[in-house]
Amino acid sequence: MELKSSKKNQAVVIATGFFTLFSLIGIMFYGLPFFYDFWVKELGWSRAKVTSGDAVAKIVVGLFGFFAGWLMDKFGPKRLMIIGVIMCGLAFIGLGHFTSLWQFYFFYILSATSYILAGALPNQVLISRWFTSGRGKAMGIAYLGVGIGGMLVPQIARWLNAHYGWHTALTIMGILIIAISLPLVLLVKDAPPGFTENISTGKKPRIPMSQLFKSKAFILLVIGSVCSIAAVAGTIKNLKLFFSLDLKFTQEHAANILSIILFSSIIGRLLMGWLADKFSKKYVMVLIYALVAVAIPLLYFTNVPGIIYIFAFLFGIALGGDYMIIPLMAAELFGVKVLGRIMGLVLTFDGFGDALSPMLVSWIRDKSGSYTNGFAVLIVLAIIGTIAVLLIPQKKKTGDAGANG
């Protein structure tokens, strides 16, 4: 009976991860950039200005990441996730009706806060608590929500915009985020019973947090993840602008390419999750980061027939594994008991790369009239990230607390 209950709770954890990541990354992360070219055309804003909302928000909210991770380690992620889901829906609704720059930044800050409270971090903590064996597979299945959400949202956003305009489209998407995510968040349990007892007794973490910044593995993990996340974010958040305004793709063509990328990311998540359970997570991470570095240069050759589809496939595979592999690597290096705090710190640093990279690339495009130099910056970042991860010392395997998976 206890085993059956554990399996049921694990299924709820995966389902919660799937649908919250579907909404807070699939819809929010990949949905908002779809509207960038509309804001450029209708509001007369520059590329740098429309991408600055995400940058400002993540810089303002970024330092909250560690505190959120500490709260999740101490009290569990569920309560924070409830707040985060509601905030995300309200942020979308607000972005459909803003009339000034300060409102634009306010609702972006709301969306960035919601991501910390209910996005990748709490789901990584939940899955790492509930699964020991099969953790990579469980993470891969949950992260399918990102790929499926991201694959569908360009088509949904295009259809809603065509029928109702971008204001109403964003409002409807905000309501969908709450309706899709909140029911399962209300059902999920924070951790297996034994794990909850360990949290409440306040056992000392395996690695003192004061020693963390002296750890070579942690520093290299941060450098690698920041550089690769920056390369991915700088690419994906400029693609709609690049396709629509530079390459003169139709809205349908641009949406289709974006959907191909996110469809490929589904394959990437399953493949990299499986590889992470079978082989060294370090080398799986190196493979993912190397794919990012290989894919971006293809954007220089979009005049070659079919090359954009090769880019979409390779970049999608890398995108699928990029965000997912970080918590798996962190759990292997530092253990699950402090994963919330570790990932809170890592995601804080990653957030700065995620925030600044798209705006930097957009600024370079505004100044130079071309994405050539901006894409070069992203390629260099991807290469640095790959090398950093390659230099991470291998960790000897130890036992870990959590439910069997």
Side-chain angles (χ1 to χ4, degrees), residues 238-378:
N238 277 279
L239 282 181
K240 180 69 187 314
L241 292 167
F242 180 55
F243 292 160
S244 179
L245 302 181
D246 290 61
L247 300 182
K248 307 301 181 185
F249 286 1
T250 64
Q251 291 295 318
E252 182 178 4
H253 191 190
N256 289 342
I257 298 298
L258 293 172
S259 290
I260 290 171
I261 291 172
L262 273 299
F263 174 78
S264 299
S265 78
I266 296 172
I267 300 173
R269 284 180 178 88
L270 290 174
L271 174 62
M272 298 306 172
W274 178 81
L275 288 174
D277 282 339
K278 298 293 183 182
F279 304 101
S280 167
K281 292 174 179 60
K282 169 181 171 177
Y283 294 111
V284 176
M285 200 171 193
V286 168
L287 172 62
I288 293 167
Y289 287 11
L291 276 175
V292 176
V294 168
I296 298 173
L298 298 178
L299 291 172
Y300 290 123
F301 306 100
T302 52
N303 59 320
V304 178
I307 202 75
I308 196 68
Y309 297 102
I310 297 174
F311 160 78
F313 179 74
L314 291 178
F315 186 74
I317 294 290
L319 178 66
D322 203 292
Y323 291 83
M324 182 193 72
I325 194 65
I326 299 171
L328 296 176
M329 187 69 179
E332 183 175 90
L333 290 171
F334 307 108
V336 175
K337 293 294 178 63
V338 292
L339 186 63
R341 277 165 280 185
I342 296 289
M343 286 307 301
L345 282 169
V346 171
L347 291 178
T348 295
F349 290 112
D350 287 352
F352 290 119
D354 192 346
L356 295 174
S357 174
M359 189 170 66
L360 173 62
V361 172
S362 295
W363 179 82
I364 293 172
R365 168 60 182 82
D366 287 337
K367 293 297 182 182
S368 67
S370 168
Y371 274 108
T372 300
N373 293 332
F375 289 156
V377 170
L378 299 178

Side-chain angles (χ1 to χ4, degrees), residues 133-279:
S133 62
R135 186 179 291 157
K137 180 181 176 182
M139 199 80 76
I141 294 172
Y143 266 75
L144 285 179
V146 177
I148 294 174
M151 181 180 67
L152 294 177
V153 74
Q155 306 300 333
I156 295 170
R158 180 177 65 84
W159 186 88
L160 288 172
N161 178 70
H163 286 79
Y164 305 108
W166 66 267
H167 301 280
T168 304
L170 282 166
T171 300
I172 293 172
M173 291 166 71
I175 295 169
L176 283 174
I177 286 171
I178 296 174
I180 290 169
S181 304
L182 192 57
L184 278 163
V185 174
L186 293 172
L187 290 175
V188 78
K189 293 184 178 180
D190 282 313
F195 196 98
T196 305
E197 290 171 9
N198 289 336
I199 293 173
S200 61
T201 56
K203 286 190 175 182
K204 187 177 180 181
R206 294 177 189 175
I207 300 176
M209 299 303 291
S210 60
Q211 297 297 313
L212 198 58
F213 289 102
K214 298 179 183 178
S215 165
K216 180 181 178 181
F218 177 77
I219 292 170
L220 289 171
L221 178 64
V222 168
I223 292 172
S225 63
V226 167
C227 288
S228 189
I229 293 297
V232 167
T235 304
I236 197 72
K237 292 182 182 178
N238 277 279
L239 282 181
K240 180 69 187 314
L241 292 167
F242 180 55
F243 292 160
S244 179
L245 302 181
D246 290 61
L247 300 182
K248 307 301 181 185
F249 286 1
T250 64
Q251 291 295 318
E252 182 178 4
H253 191 190
N256 289 342
I257 298 298
L258 293 172
S259 290
I260 290 171
I261 291 172
L262 273 299
F263 174 78
S264 299
S265 78
I266 296 172
I267 300 173
R269 284 180 178 88
L270 290 174
L271 174 62
M272 298 306 172
W274 178 81
L275 288 174
D277 282 339
K278 298 293 183 182
F279 304 101

Side-chain angles (χ1 to χ4, degrees), residues 25-235:
I25 302 181
I27 294 179
M28 183 176 73
F29 186 89
Y30 298 111
L32 287 177
F34 185 85
F35 296 90
Y36 285 175
D37 57 316
F38 300 141
W39 295 339
V40 168
K41 293 174 183 176
E42 185 172 323
L43 303 175
W45 289 2
S46 66
R47 288 171 171 83
K49 193 171 184 178
V50 298
T51 55
S52 71
D54 191 51
V56 169
K58 285 179 178 171
I59 290 170
V60 170
V61 175
L63 296 178
F64 179 60
F66 173 73
F67 181 62
W70 178 82
L71 287 174
M72 288 174 198
D73 281 340
K74 188 168 182 64
F75 302 108
K78 178 174 179 173
R79 281 171 281 188
L80 298 181
M81 291 180 76
I82 293 170
I83 297 169
V85 166
I86 296 171
M87 288 177 67
C88 185
L90 293 176
F92 255 72
I93 293 169
L95 285 169
H97 299 279
F98 70 90
T99 56
S100 62
L101 186 60
W102 78 264
Q103 291 175 348
F104 177 70
Y105 287 147
F106 173 79
F107 289 116
Y108 250 109
I109 290 171
L110 206 62
S111 73
T113 306
S114 76
Y115 173 76
I116 290 176
L117 296 179
L121 175 58
N123 282 293
Q124 292 162 1
V125 171
L126 277 174
I127 291 169
S128 296
R129 287 179 174 186
W130 278 98
F131 291 85
T132 302
S133 62
R135 186 179 291 157
K137 180 181 176 182
M139 199 80 76
I141 294 172
Y143 266 75
L144 285 179
V146 177
I148 294 174
M151 181 180 67
L152 294 177
V153 74
Q155 306 300 333
I156 295 170
R158 180 177 65 84
W159 186 88
L160 288 172
N161 178 70
H163 286 79
Y164 305 108
W166 66 267
H167 301 280
T168 304
L170 282 166
T171 300
I172 293 172
M173 291 166 71
I175 295 169
L176 283 174
I177 286 171
I178 296 174
I180 290 169
S181 304
L182 192 57
L184 278 163
V185 174
L186 293 172
L187 290 175
V188 78
K189 293 184 178 180
D190 282 313
F195 196 98
T196 305
E197 290 171 9
N198 289 336
I199 293 173
S200 61
T201 56
K203 286 190 175 182
K204 187 177 180 181
R206 294 177 189 175
I207 300 176
M209 299 303 291
S210 60
Q211 297 297 313
L212 198 58
F213 289 102
K214 298 179 183 178
S215 165
K216 180 181 178 181
F218 177 77
I219 292 170
L220 289 171
L221 178 64
V222 168
I223 292 172
S225 63
V226 167
C227 288
S228 189
I229 293 297
V232 167
T235 304

